């Protein structure tokens, strides 16, 4: 039996409770975990925006639906930053993050543009969700592939 498997049986550093599941270095283990937590974060962020927008609209501080829905990306961005920090310093994580951000922003802006007739809260929240999925789908395999290639 290897030392790693013994450590896992004892509940050592390889086993961490919580969601998303992380490895010993603190990196998210699976793309499904990353997407699940990030999309839950977008939903929570969008619901918070709806609540704040409704509250401000009810006191006459603006019309409902005119808050920028892109703000729903705050919680997923926080998780992306946390996963970025978990990777050791090097070009792999920086390059993967830059490419993922570029793809994510492009996809998000494309969705926002397609929803131009919708209220900003809705089109922005959809764009934030699209950004989140695109970023995660590029970041997760990209940083792992680049890290293996660069050693």
């Amino acid at each position: 039996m290897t030392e790693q498997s013994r450590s896992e049986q004892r509940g050592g550093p390889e086993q961490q409770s919580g969601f998303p599941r992380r490895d010993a270095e603190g990196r998210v283990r699976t793309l499904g975990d990353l997407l699940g937590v990030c999309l839950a974060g977008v939903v929570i962020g969008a619901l918070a925006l709806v609540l704040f927008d409704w509250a401000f609209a009810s006191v006459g501080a603006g019309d409902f639906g005119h808050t920028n829905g892109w703000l729903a990306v705050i919680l997923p961005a926080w998780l992306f930053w946390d996963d970025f920090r978990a990777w050791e310093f090097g070009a792999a994580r920086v390059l993967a993050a830059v490419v993922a951000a570029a793809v994510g922003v492009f996809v998000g802006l494309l969705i926002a543009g397609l929803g131009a007739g919708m209220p900003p809260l809705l089109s922005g929240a959809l764009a934030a969700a699209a950004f989140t999925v695109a970023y995660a789908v590029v970041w997760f395999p990209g940083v792992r592939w680049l890290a293996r290639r660069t050693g």
Side-chain angles (χ1 to χ4, degrees), residues 85-129:
R85 286 186 3 214
W87 285 87
E88 65 183 60
F89 186 77
R93 74 177 187 161
V94 173
L95 183 60
V98 167
V99 171
V103 171
V105 167
F106 174 78
V107 171
L109 289 174
L110 181 65
I111 295 300
L114 292 174
M118 297 182 214
L121 179 61
L122 181 57
S123 66
L126 291 173

Short mmCIF file of all heavy atoms in Angstrom, two decimals, residues 85-129:
data_model
loop_
_atom_site.label_atom_id
_atom_site.label_comp_id
_atom_site.label_asym_id
_atom_site.label_seq_id
_atom_site.Cartn_x
_atom_site.Cartn_y
_atom_site.Cartn_z
N ARG A 85 -4.86 30.74 -7.39
CA ARG A 85 -3.85 30.84 -6.34
C ARG A 85 -3.35 29.46 -5.89
O ARG A 85 -2.22 29.35 -5.41
CB ARG A 85 -4.42 31.58 -5.13
CG ARG A 85 -4.55 33.04 -5.36
CD ARG A 85 -4.97 33.77 -4.10
NE ARG A 85 -5.06 32.89 -2.94
CZ ARG A 85 -5.92 33.01 -1.96
NH1 ARG A 85 -6.79 33.99 -1.99
NH2 ARG A 85 -5.92 32.19 -0.94
N ALA A 86 -4.17 28.43 -6.03
CA ALA A 86 -3.78 27.09 -5.59
C ALA A 86 -2.72 26.46 -6.49
O ALA A 86 -2.00 25.56 -6.06
CB ALA A 86 -5.01 26.17 -5.52
N TRP A 87 -2.63 26.93 -7.71
CA TRP A 87 -1.61 26.41 -8.62
C TRP A 87 -0.29 27.11 -8.32
O TRP A 87 -0.27 28.30 -8.04
CB TRP A 87 -2.01 26.64 -10.08
CG TRP A 87 -3.07 25.68 -10.48
CD1 TRP A 87 -4.42 25.84 -10.33
CD2 TRP A 87 -2.87 24.40 -11.04
NE1 TRP A 87 -5.07 24.73 -10.77
CE2 TRP A 87 -4.15 23.82 -11.22
CE3 TRP A 87 -1.76 23.67 -11.41
CZ2 TRP A 87 -4.33 22.55 -11.76
CZ3 TRP A 87 -1.93 22.41 -11.95
CH2 TRP A 87 -3.20 21.87 -12.11
N GLU A 88 0.80 26.35 -8.42
CA GLU A 88 2.09 26.95 -8.10
C GLU A 88 2.43 28.03 -9.12
O GLU A 88 1.99 28.01 -10.27
CB GLU A 88 3.19 25.91 -8.01
CG GLU A 88 3.50 25.18 -9.30
CD GLU A 88 4.56 24.12 -9.10
OE1 GLU A 88 4.32 23.20 -8.32
OE2 GLU A 88 5.60 24.22 -9.76
N PHE A 89 3.22 28.98 -8.68
CA PHE A 89 3.57 30.12 -9.50
C PHE A 89 4.23 29.66 -10.79
O PHE A 89 5.09 28.79 -10.79
CB PHE A 89 4.52 31.06 -8.73
CG PHE A 89 4.81 32.32 -9.47
CD1 PHE A 89 3.89 33.34 -9.50
CD2 PHE A 89 6.00 32.48 -10.14
CE1 PHE A 89 4.14 34.51 -10.19
CE2 PHE A 89 6.27 33.64 -10.83
CZ PHE A 89 5.35 34.66 -10.85
N GLY A 90 3.82 30.25 -11.90
CA GLY A 90 4.43 29.91 -13.17
C GLY A 90 3.58 30.37 -14.33
O GLY A 90 2.48 30.88 -14.17
N ALA A 91 4.15 30.16 -15.50
CA ALA A 91 3.50 30.62 -16.73
C ALA A 91 2.23 29.85 -17.05
O ALA A 91 1.32 30.40 -17.66
CB ALA A 91 4.48 30.52 -17.90
N ALA A 92 2.16 28.59 -16.62
CA ALA A 92 1.00 27.77 -16.96
C ALA A 92 -0.29 28.37 -16.43
O ALA A 92 -1.27 28.51 -17.16
CB ALA A 92 1.18 26.35 -16.42
N ARG A 93 -0.29 28.74 -15.16
CA ARG A 93 -1.52 29.28 -14.59
C ARG A 93 -1.86 30.66 -15.15
O ARG A 93 -3.03 30.98 -15.36
CB ARG A 93 -1.47 29.30 -13.07
CG ARG A 93 -0.59 30.38 -12.48
CD ARG A 93 -0.65 30.38 -10.98
NE ARG A 93 0.08 31.52 -10.46
CZ ARG A 93 -0.08 32.01 -9.25
NH1 ARG A 93 -0.92 31.43 -8.43
NH2 ARG A 93 0.61 33.04 -8.85
N VAL A 94 -0.86 31.47 -15.43
CA VAL A 94 -1.10 32.81 -15.98
C VAL A 94 -1.66 32.71 -17.40
O VAL A 94 -2.66 33.35 -17.74
CB VAL A 94 0.17 33.67 -15.93
CG1 VAL A 94 -0.03 35.00 -16.64
CG2 VAL A 94 0.62 33.88 -14.49
N LEU A 95 -1.03 31.90 -18.22
CA LEU A 95 -1.48 31.75 -19.60
C LEU A 95 -2.89 31.15 -19.66
O LEU A 95 -3.74 31.63 -20.41
CB LEU A 95 -0.50 30.89 -20.40
CG LEU A 95 -0.82 30.71 -21.88
CD1 LEU A 95 -0.86 32.07 -22.59
CD2 LEU A 95 0.20 29.80 -22.54
N ALA A 96 -3.13 30.12 -18.85
CA ALA A 96 -4.46 29.50 -18.84
C ALA A 96 -5.51 30.51 -18.38
O ALA A 96 -6.61 30.57 -18.94
CB ALA A 96 -4.46 28.28 -17.93
N ALA A 97 -5.20 31.32 -17.38
CA ALA A 97 -6.15 32.31 -16.89
C ALA A 97 -6.42 33.40 -17.92
O ALA A 97 -7.58 33.81 -18.10
CB ALA A 97 -5.65 32.92 -15.59
N VAL A 98 -5.40 33.85 -18.60
CA VAL A 98 -5.57 34.91 -19.60
C VAL A 98 -6.41 34.40 -20.78
O VAL A 98 -7.34 35.08 -21.24
CB VAL A 98 -4.20 35.45 -20.08
CG1 VAL A 98 -4.33 36.31 -21.32
CG2 VAL A 98 -3.52 36.21 -18.96
N VAL A 99 -6.10 33.20 -21.26
CA VAL A 99 -6.87 32.64 -22.38
C VAL A 99 -8.31 32.38 -21.96
O VAL A 99 -9.26 32.70 -22.69
CB VAL A 99 -6.20 31.36 -22.93
CG1 VAL A 99 -7.09 30.65 -23.93
CG2 VAL A 99 -4.85 31.70 -23.56
N ALA A 100 -8.50 31.81 -20.77
CA ALA A 100 -9.85 31.53 -20.28
C ALA A 100 -10.64 32.83 -20.10
O ALA A 100 -11.83 32.89 -20.44
CB ALA A 100 -9.79 30.76 -18.96
N ALA A 101 -10.00 33.87 -19.59
CA ALA A 101 -10.68 35.16 -19.43
C ALA A 101 -11.06 35.75 -20.78
O ALA A 101 -12.17 36.28 -20.94
CB ALA A 101 -9.80 36.13 -18.64
N ALA A 102 -10.17 35.67 -21.75
CA ALA A 102 -10.47 36.21 -23.08
C ALA A 102 -11.64 35.47 -23.71
O ALA A 102 -12.57 36.10 -24.25
CB ALA A 102 -9.23 36.12 -23.98
N VAL A 103 -11.62 34.15 -23.63
CA VAL A 103 -12.73 33.36 -24.19
C VAL A 103 -14.02 33.65 -23.42
O VAL A 103 -15.08 33.83 -24.01
CB VAL A 103 -12.39 31.85 -24.16
CG1 VAL A 103 -13.60 31.00 -24.51
CG2 VAL A 103 -11.24 31.55 -25.11
N GLY A 104 -13.93 33.71 -22.10
CA GLY A 104 -15.10 33.98 -21.28
C GLY A 104 -15.73 35.33 -21.56
O GLY A 104 -16.95 35.45 -21.68
N VAL A 105 -14.90 36.36 -21.67
CA VAL A 105 -15.42 37.70 -21.96
C VAL A 105 -16.05 37.73 -23.35
O VAL A 105 -17.13 38.31 -23.54
CB VAL A 105 -14.31 38.76 -21.82
CG1 VAL A 105 -14.72 40.09 -22.40
CG2 VAL A 105 -13.91 38.92 -20.35
N PHE A 106 -15.40 37.09 -24.32
CA PHE A 106 -15.96 37.05 -25.67
C PHE A 106 -17.34 36.39 -25.68
O PHE A 106 -18.30 36.92 -26.23
CB PHE A 106 -15.01 36.32 -26.63
CG PHE A 106 -15.59 36.13 -28.00
CD1 PHE A 106 -15.61 37.19 -28.91
CD2 PHE A 106 -16.12 34.91 -28.39
CE1 PHE A 106 -16.16 37.03 -30.17
CE2 PHE A 106 -16.68 34.74 -29.64
CZ PHE A 106 -16.70 35.80 -30.55
N VAL A 107 -17.44 35.22 -25.05
CA VAL A 107 -18.71 34.49 -25.02
C VAL A 107 -19.75 35.29 -24.23
O VAL A 107 -20.91 35.40 -24.66
CB VAL A 107 -18.52 33.08 -24.42
CG1 VAL A 107 -19.85 32.39 -24.16
CG2 VAL A 107 -17.66 32.23 -25.36
N GLY A 108 -19.36 35.87 -23.12
CA GLY A 108 -20.29 36.66 -22.33
C GLY A 108 -20.81 37.87 -23.09
O GLY A 108 -22.01 38.17 -23.07
N LEU A 109 -19.92 38.58 -23.78
CA LEU A 109 -20.35 39.73 -24.57
C LEU A 109 -21.22 39.32 -25.74
O LEU A 109 -22.16 40.04 -26.11
CB LEU A 109 -19.13 40.52 -25.06
CG LEU A 109 -18.39 41.30 -23.98
CD1 LEU A 109 -17.12 41.93 -24.56
CD2 LEU A 109 -19.27 42.35 -23.34
N LEU A 110 -20.93 38.17 -26.32
CA LEU A 110 -21.77 37.66 -27.41
C LEU A 110 -23.19 37.40 -26.91
O LEU A 110 -24.17 37.81 -27.54
CB LEU A 110 -21.16 36.37 -27.98
CG LEU A 110 -21.89 35.72 -29.13
CD1 LEU A 110 -21.87 36.63 -30.36
CD2 LEU A 110 -21.27 34.37 -29.46
N ILE A 111 -23.31 36.76 -25.76
CA ILE A 111 -24.63 36.48 -25.19
C ILE A 111 -25.33 37.78 -24.79
O ILE A 111 -26.53 37.95 -25.01
CB ILE A 111 -24.51 35.53 -23.97
CG1 ILE A 111 -23.98 34.16 -24.43
CG2 ILE A 111 -25.83 35.39 -23.23
CD1 ILE A 111 -24.86 33.44 -25.44
N ALA A 112 -24.58 38.71 -24.20
CA ALA A 112 -25.17 40.00 -23.84
C ALA A 112 -25.66 40.74 -25.09
O ALA A 112 -26.71 41.38 -25.07
CB ALA A 112 -24.16 40.85 -23.08
N GLY A 113 -24.90 40.65 -26.16
CA GLY A 113 -25.31 41.29 -27.41
C GLY A 113 -26.56 40.66 -28.00
O GLY A 113 -27.43 41.35 -28.53
N LEU A 114 -26.65 39.33 -27.91
CA LEU A 114 -27.84 38.65 -28.42
C LEU A 114 -29.08 38.98 -27.59
O LEU A 114 -30.20 38.95 -28.10
CB LEU A 114 -27.62 37.13 -28.44
CG LEU A 114 -26.59 36.63 -29.44
CD1 LEU A 114 -26.34 35.14 -29.26
CD2 LEU A 114 -27.03 36.93 -30.87
N GLY A 115 -28.86 39.30 -26.32
CA GLY A 115 -29.98 39.66 -25.45
C GLY A 115 -30.13 41.15 -25.26
O GLY A 115 -30.62 41.61 -24.22
N ALA A 116 -29.73 41.92 -26.25
CA ALA A 116 -29.73 43.38 -26.14
C ALA A 116 -31.12 43.96 -25.89
O ALA A 116 -31.25 45.01 -25.28
CB ALA A 116 -29.13 44.01 -27.38
N GLY A 117 -32.17 43.31 -26.31
CA GLY A 117 -33.53 43.82 -26.11
C GLY A 117 -34.07 43.53 -24.72
O GLY A 117 -35.11 44.05 -24.34
N MET A 118 -33.39 42.71 -23.97
CA MET A 118 -33.85 42.35 -22.61
C MET A 118 -33.41 43.41 -21.61
O MET A 118 -32.50 44.20 -21.89
CB MET A 118 -33.22 41.01 -22.19
CG MET A 118 -33.60 39.84 -23.02
SD MET A 118 -32.81 38.38 -22.31
CE MET A 118 -32.49 37.44 -23.77
N PRO A 119 -34.02 43.39 -20.43
CA PRO A 119 -33.54 44.30 -19.38
C PRO A 119 -32.08 43.96 -19.03
O PRO A 119 -31.66 42.81 -19.11
CB PRO A 119 -34.45 44.00 -18.19
CG PRO A 119 -35.64 43.31 -18.75
CD PRO A 119 -35.20 42.64 -20.01
N PRO A 120 -31.29 44.97 -18.64
CA PRO A 120 -29.87 44.75 -18.34
C PRO A 120 -29.63 43.70 -17.26
O PRO A 120 -28.64 42.98 -17.30
CB PRO A 120 -29.37 46.12 -17.89
CG PRO A 120 -30.31 47.10 -18.49
CD PRO A 120 -31.64 46.40 -18.57
N LEU A 121 -30.54 43.60 -16.31
CA LEU A 121 -30.39 42.60 -15.26
C LEU A 121 -30.42 41.19 -15.84
O LEU A 121 -29.57 40.36 -15.53
CB LEU A 121 -31.48 42.77 -14.20
CG LEU A 121 -31.48 41.78 -13.04
CD1 LEU A 121 -30.19 41.88 -12.25
CD2 LEU A 121 -32.67 42.04 -12.13
N LEU A 122 -31.35 40.92 -16.72
CA LEU A 122 -31.48 39.60 -17.33
C LEU A 122 -30.37 39.31 -18.32
O LEU A 122 -29.73 38.25 -18.26
CB LEU A 122 -32.85 39.45 -18.00
CG LEU A 122 -33.15 38.12 -18.66
CD1 LEU A 122 -33.03 36.97 -17.65
CD2 LEU A 122 -34.52 38.12 -19.29
N SER A 123 -30.12 40.22 -19.25
CA SER A 123 -29.08 39.97 -20.25
C SER A 123 -27.70 39.87 -19.59
O SER A 123 -26.88 39.05 -19.98
CB SER A 123 -29.08 41.05 -21.33
OG SER A 123 -28.72 42.30 -20.80
N GLY A 124 -27.45 40.68 -18.58
CA GLY A 124 -26.18 40.61 -17.87
C GLY A 124 -26.01 39.33 -17.08
O GLY A 124 -24.92 38.75 -17.04
N ALA A 125 -27.08 38.87 -16.45
CA ALA A 125 -27.01 37.61 -15.70
C ALA A 125 -26.77 36.43 -16.64
O ALA A 125 -25.99 35.52 -16.33
CB ALA A 125 -28.27 37.40 -14.89
N LEU A 126 -27.41 36.45 -17.80
CA LEU A 126 -27.16 35.39 -18.80
C LEU A 126 -25.72 35.47 -19.31
O LEU A 126 -25.07 34.43 -19.50
CB LEU A 126 -28.15 35.51 -19.96
CG LEU A 126 -29.60 35.18 -19.64
CD1 LEU A 126 -30.49 35.50 -20.83
CD2 LEU A 126 -29.75 33.72 -19.23
N ALA A 127 -25.24 36.67 -19.52
CA ALA A 127 -23.85 36.85 -19.96
C ALA A 127 -22.88 36.38 -18.88
O ALA A 127 -21.85 35.76 -19.19
CB ALA A 127 -23.60 38.31 -20.31
N ALA A 128 -23.18 36.66 -17.62
CA ALA A 128 -22.33 36.20 -16.52
C ALA A 128 -22.30 34.68 -16.46
O ALA A 128 -21.24 34.08 -16.23
CB ALA A 128 -22.82 36.78 -15.20
N ALA A 129 -23.44 34.05 -16.68
CA ALA A 129 -23.48 32.58 -16.69
C ALA A 129 -22.68 32.03 -17.86
O ALA A 129 -21.93 31.04 -17.71
CB ALA A 129 -24.93 32.10 -16.76
#
